[in-house]
């Protein structure tokens, strides 16, 4: 799952090389990750009707290739990024495939990538460990994390102002176009703003995102994070609406999480609630524990308790063990 500086995910280079051509250098990088899962619980509540919902074993893998050209004299770089994923149900997909141009004024991307309203949002999932907490692979409750109208893999034109990892503000914007998806979402414009800062050992982050869809869909999300020493707290509140005539109800949701580093053992407790979710998850609470065993090798345990029935009253539990190898 991709983010701003505090949202950086795991990705270690397998192989990279730099070739000089005059003042321009070329860099090629390959990163890969494979995760094996052992699951106890009813995944049928989380998976679709055509997917295997029995407990047991699952496997997921992804490869990302990056080819970049760097012009250090002008502080400029450009290239292509491609990610390929083998999904849990045996299908394959390309969640990331875009070209980019970056200089001191910011970055422009064109292709398939997360909207800034997704990549820059801050909430409970930002600090979750193991497979990711409430927006993880098998215990996923994406509808408790980010608005639906920006959570799709489609062609986008994306722009970012300069990186704010050293503090300050960063703005992102994108225009999404492509075939109407299963929720009836069509062309969408989104804007996201993130503020990173800190004083001494205190780190803070604030994000604000808004989106409007061609046929009247709207979304707004506010999130924040505060971290001190080995303890972090993060959460967000959001609302969105999909109907074309503006007569429907707003879907309102919130999430909250706390994470701690206990001397090599990472722990997180994340929770999400939806107050008008039709048939989607009403709430999900996830306890995650992760430990790095070796460089590029980590193991995790997650316990998820959730209710995803319309109107409530259909609680389920999933216990998940994972082993991740990244290089």
């Amino acid at each position: 799952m991709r983010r701003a500086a505090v949202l950086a995910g795991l990705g270690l280079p397998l192989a990279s090389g730099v070739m000089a051509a005059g003042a321009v250098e070329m860099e090629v990088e390959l990163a890969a990750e494979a995760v094996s899962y052992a699951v106890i619980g009813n995944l049928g509540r989380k998976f679709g009707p055509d997917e295997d919902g029995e407990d047991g074993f699952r496997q997921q893998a992804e490869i990302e290739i990056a080819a970049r050209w760097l012009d250090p004299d002008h502080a400029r770089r450009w290239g292509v990024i491609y990610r390929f994923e083998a999904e849990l149900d045996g299908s394959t997909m390309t969640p990331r495939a875009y070209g980019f141009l970056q200089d001191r004024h910011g970055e422009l991307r064109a292709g398939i990538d997360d909207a800034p309203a997704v990549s820059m949002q801050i909430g409970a999932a930002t600090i979750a460990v193991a497979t990711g907490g409430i927006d993880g692979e098998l215990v996923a409750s994406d509808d408790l994390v980010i608005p639906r109208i920006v959570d799709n893999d489609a062609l986008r034109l994306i722009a970012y102002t300069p990186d704010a990892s050293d503090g300050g503000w960063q703005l992102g914007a994108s225009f999404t176009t492509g075939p109407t998806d299963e929720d009836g979402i069509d062309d969408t414009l989104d804007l996201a703003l993130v503020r990173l800062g800190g004083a001494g050992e205190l780190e803070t982050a604030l994000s604000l995102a808004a989106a409007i869809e061609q046929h009247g869909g709207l979304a707004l999300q506010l999130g924040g994070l505060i971290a001190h020493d080995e303890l972090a707290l993060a959460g967000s509140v959001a609302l969105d609406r999909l109907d074309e005539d503006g007569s429907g109800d707003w879907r309102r949701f919130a999430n909250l999480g706390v994470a701690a580093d206990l001397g090599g053992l990472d722990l997180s407790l994340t929770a999400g609630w939806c107050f008008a979710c039709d048939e989607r998850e009403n709430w999900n609470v996830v306890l995650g524990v992760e430990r790095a065993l070796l460089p590029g090798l980590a193991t995790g345990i997650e316990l998820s308790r959730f209710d995803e029935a319309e109107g409530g009253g259909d609680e389920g539990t999933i216990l998940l063990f994972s082993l991740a190898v990244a290089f």
Side-chain angles (χ1 to χ4, degrees):
M1 176 227 264
R2 142 70 119 82
R3 301 185 181 228
V6 297
L7 320 178
L10 176 65
L12 302 177
L14 169 62
S16 64
V18 178
M19 295 176 287
V24 177
E25 301 174 342
M26 179 182 179
E27 176 185 76
V28 179
E29 185 177 275
L30 178 64
E33 183 179 28
V35 186
S36 299
Y37 303 95
V39 187
I40 301 173
N42 183 5
L43 283 172
R45 300 167 183 259
K46 290 291 183 182
F47 283 11
D50 297 329
E51 298 176 284
D52 181 9
E54 298 296 325
D55 54 10
F57 296 95
R58 298 291 192 281
Q59 175 77 25
Q60 187 175 40
E62 66 180 42
I63 295 176
E64 183 167 296
I65 303 171
R68 305 180 183 93
W69 287 262
L70 299 91
D71 182 356
D73 293 339
H74 299 88
R76 182 184 300 127
R77 66 176 187 166
W78 60 95
V80 292
I81 306 291
Y82 182 86
R83 175 179 291 179
F84 175 84
E85 289 186 1
E87 290 294 287
L88 295 158
D89 60 359
S91 65
T92 58
M93 62 180 297
T94 304
R96 180 173 296 176
Y98 64 87
F100 71 92
L101 172 63
Q102 184 181 48
D103 62 16
R104 61 175 59 92
H105 302 296
E107 182 177 356
L108 183 66
R109 300 179 182 181
I112 302 173
D113 193 25
D114 287 336
V118 175
S119 64
M120 298 176 70
Q121 69 89 19
I122 296 172
T126 305
I127 58 174
V129 302
T131 69
I134 56 176
D135 71 339
E137 297 298 339
L138 290 174
V139 297
S141 292
D142 291 341
D143 283 325
L144 305 179
V145 179
I146 51 180
R148 290 169 290 184
I149 67 173
V150 292
D151 184 23
N152 59 337
D153 295 318
L155 294 174
R156 290 187 173 93
L157 182 64
I158 306 171
Y160 292 100
T161 61
D163 186 10
S165 58
D166 293 330
W169 294 92
Q170 184 176 21
L171 175 66
S174 74
F175 176 71
T176 305
T177 187
T180 302
D181 71 5
E182 59 184 9
D183 286 323
I185 301 169
D186 209 328
D187 297 350
T188 304
L189 175 67
D190 73 282
L191 297 171
L193 186 67
V194 65
R195 171 69 167 87
L196 304 178
E201 297 180 348
L202 184 68
E203 178 185 4
T204 61
L206 180 69
S207 67
L208 176 64
I212 182 169
E213 189 264 338
Q214 177 181 350
H215 299 295
L218 298 170
L220 184 66
Q221 184 166 20
L222 175 66
L225 175 148
I226 183 169
H228 184 267
D229 292 334
E230 308 302 330
L231 186 66
L233 179 69
S236 72
V237 292
L239 49 82
D240 66 8
R241 183 178 63 189
L242 293 182
D243 22 10
E244 300 180 7
D245 58 6
S247 62
D249 294 330
W250 289 94
R251 188 180 71 99
R252 303 176 301 277
F253 63 94
N255 56 70
L256 183 66
V258 60
D261 182 353
L262 306 177
L265 192 68
D266 295 320
L267 176 71
S268 69
L269 179 63
T270 58
W273 305 267
C274 193
F275 310 107
C277 266
D278 47 76
E279 296 181 357
R280 291 171 170 81
E281 287 88 347
N282 292 317
W283 56 264
N284 194 355
V285 180
V286 184
L287 175 64
V289 181
E290 186 176 63
R291 183 176 181 83
L293 303 176
L294 294 167
L297 180 65
T299 186
I301 301 174
E302 278 186 290
L303 179 64
S304 174
R305 182 71 173 165
F306 58 90
D307 183 350
E308 59 183 20
E310 184 175 5
D314 187 18
E315 299 179 2
T317 302
I318 294 174
L319 180 62
L320 172 67
F321 302 88
S322 64
L323 182 66
V325 181
F327 47 88

